[in-house]
């Protein structure tokens, strides 16, 4: 199904392994004015924070516990966020670790039967959703001279068939029956975990793009007065996996790519 993210909405990744009907039924019994969007926001932020890009090594890393500050829950869910967290803990879907050594946030993790699940994308409504969206430019040059290109990145005009995208990304990484990933001595095997991390990062990049979390830069030589470009314009669309880019729509029109490596004008 083709999905678009509008104002006051957020696209989140959710594990296929959870029973959402069970969560909703239990939530309505236990929590006054229960909102399933709050549950999905919690789960979505756990997945979102579980994979990070490590700039120093240029690699993706999987965190077994997602570090999320309680201020995030209060801001987007409210002061009763612990009721939602406790619900997921009591249903034995997640656990919560106290402050880790050297960290300032609680660590959240899915219990073993629900770890390393395939995911699906869903658009939810949550308080302060637009505050999570951002557009950044690496230099003032990019901000000034690339504005005509940057202006095309209106996240409300993009749409994508998220189900097809997940399936294509999954098949790209887990060919030849390599899923579910093998577990040895209680931990996933190194190669399997790396593959799952790449899969999840690809899906996370799709969600970031659809939510309007954009950064732009241009390859350059010097900075300041000696600034000069090296030609290549880096944008969030180019950072998406090709399996995702080919399914993207803009203003309900299919996006087509042209890779121009060298042009001679005669």
């Amino acid at each position: 199904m083709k999905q678009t993210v509008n104002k006051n909405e957020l696209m989140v990744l959710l594990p296929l392994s959870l029973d959402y009907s069970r969560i909703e039924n239990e939530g309505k019994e236990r929590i006054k004015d229960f909102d399933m969007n709050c549950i999905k926001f919690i789960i979505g932020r756990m997945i979102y924070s579980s994979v990070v890009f490590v700039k120093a090594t240029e690699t993706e890393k999987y965190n077994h516990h997602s570090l999320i500050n309680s201020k995030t829950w209060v801001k987007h869910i409210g002061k009763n966020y612990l009721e939602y967290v406790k619900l997921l803990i009591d249903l034995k879907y997640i656990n919560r670790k106290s402050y880790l050594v050297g960290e300032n946030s609680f660590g959240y993790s899915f219990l073993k039967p629900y770890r390393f699940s395939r995911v699906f994308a869903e658009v939810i409504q949550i308080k302060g959703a637009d505050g999570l969206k951002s557009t950044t430019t690496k230099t003032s040059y990019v901000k000034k001279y690339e504005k005509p290109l940057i202006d095309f990145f209106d996240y409300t005009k993009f749409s994508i068939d998220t189900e097809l995208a997940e399936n294509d990304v999954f098949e790209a990484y887990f060919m030849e029956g390599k899923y579910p990933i093998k577990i040895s001595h209680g931990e996933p095997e190194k190669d399997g975990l790396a593959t799952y991390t790449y899969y999840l990062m690809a899906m996370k990049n799709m969600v970031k793009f659809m939510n309007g979390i954009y950064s732009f830069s241009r390859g350059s030589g010097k900075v300041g007065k000696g600034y000069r470009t090296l030609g290549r314009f880096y944008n969030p669309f180019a950072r998406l996996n090709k399996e995702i880019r080919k399914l993207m729509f803009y203003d309900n029109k299919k996006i087509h790519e042209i890779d121009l490596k060298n042009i001679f004008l005669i």
Side-chain angles (χ1 to χ4, degrees):
M1 181 181 70
K2 198 162 70 170
Q3 297 194 68
T4 299
V5 181
N6 295 308
K7 298 288 185 182
N8 303 314
E9 292 181 339
L10 200 69
M11 180 178 283
V12 295
L13 294 176
L14 303 170
L16 281 164
S17 54
L18 270 59
D19 186 339
Y20 296 94
S21 295
R22 179 190 177 210
I23 296 172
E24 187 167 17
N25 291 335
E26 289 284 339
K28 288 177 178 177
E29 290 286 327
R30 291 175 44 165
I31 302 174
K32 184 181 178 181
D33 299 323
F34 174 78
D35 187 351
M36 193 64 184
N37 286 315
C38 294
I39 286 288
K40 290 177 178 178
F41 179 73
I42 290 171
I43 295 169
R45 293 311 287 182
M46 286 176 61
I47 292 179
Y48 188 88
S49 301
S50 68
V51 286
V52 294
F53 179 71
V54 183
K55 211 168 185 180
T57 57
E58 296 284 315
T59 57
E60 285 85 10
K61 177 187 175 184
Y62 181 84
N63 295 319
H64 289 280
H65 278 84
S66 300
L67 300 178
I68 305 171
N69 194 290
S70 59
K71 291 180 181 178
T72 299
W73 304 140
V74 172
K75 181 178 179 180
H76 299 287
I77 296 173
K79 292 182 179 179
N80 68 330
Y81 75 92
L82 275 175
E83 294 183 63
Y84 289 91
V85 172
K86 194 172 186 308
L87 171 64
L88 291 170
I89 292 173
D90 290 347
L91 291 175
K92 294 182 169 39
Y93 285 133
I94 72 170
N95 64 20
R96 183 173 82 152
K97 276 192 175 183
S98 297
Y99 291 141
L100 303 177
V101 177
E103 303 291 348
N104 296 316
S105 302
F106 285 100
Y108 296 85
S109 174
F110 294 102
L111 296 186
K112 285 186 178 179
Y114 311 105
R115 291 178 192 169
F116 316 119
S117 169
R118 289 183 69 168
V119 296
F120 67 96
E122 185 172 314
V123 176
I124 66 170
Q125 289 188 324
I126 198 77
K127 184 175 69 175
D130 290 344
L132 294 168
K133 299 160 187 179
S134 62
T135 299
T136 58
T137 52
K138 192 172 182 180
T139 65
S140 58
Y141 176 95
V142 173
K143 184 176 182 178
K144 180 178 180 180
Y145 291 102
E146 311 302 348
K147 191 176 185 303
L149 293 174
I150 293 172
D151 285 347
F152 278 107
F153 286 81
D154 177 353
Y155 72 91
T156 63
K157 291 188 177 182
F158 288 97
S159 58
I160 187 172
D161 189 320
T162 54
E163 187 175 345
L164 277 178
E166 188 280 332
N167 187 70
D168 288 357
V169 169
F170 181 84
E171 289 188 353
Y173 285 112
F174 289 102
M175 294 171 60
E176 303 171 5
K178 292 181 180 179
Y179 187 85
I181 61 177
K182 293 181 180 178
I183 307 294
S184 177
H185 299 90
E187 292 295 328
E189 292 186 354
K190 187 176 179 180
D191 289 346
L193 180 60
T195 303
Y196 181 78
T197 302
Y198 298 144
Y199 155 77
L200 207 56
M201 182 59 81
M203 296 302 294
K204 175 179 175 176
N205 286 338
M206 179 189 77
V207 162
K208 286 177 66 176
F209 185 92
M210 294 302 297
N211 283 333
I213 303 173
Y214 299 147
S215 64
F216 302 91
S217 63
R218 184 177 279 282
S220 62
K222 299 179 181 179
V223 295
K225 291 183 178 180
Y227 182 90
R228 62 185 178 83
T229 70
L230 298 179
R232 186 174 289 276
F233 176 60
Y234 296 96
N235 61 79
F237 182 81
R239 296 186 184 102
L240 295 173
N241 284 48
K242 62 182 179 181
E243 292 81 10
I244 293 171
R245 293 199 306 268
K246 71 181 182 182
L247 296 170
M248 195 72 70
F249 289 77
Y250 182 82
D251 226 359
N252 288 317
K253 298 180 179 66
K254 186 79 171 61
I255 294 177
H256 298 277
E257 293 183 75
I258 301 175
D259 190 0
L260 302 175
K261 292 185 178 180
N262 205 349
I263 297 178
F264 292 93
L265 298 177
I266 300 176

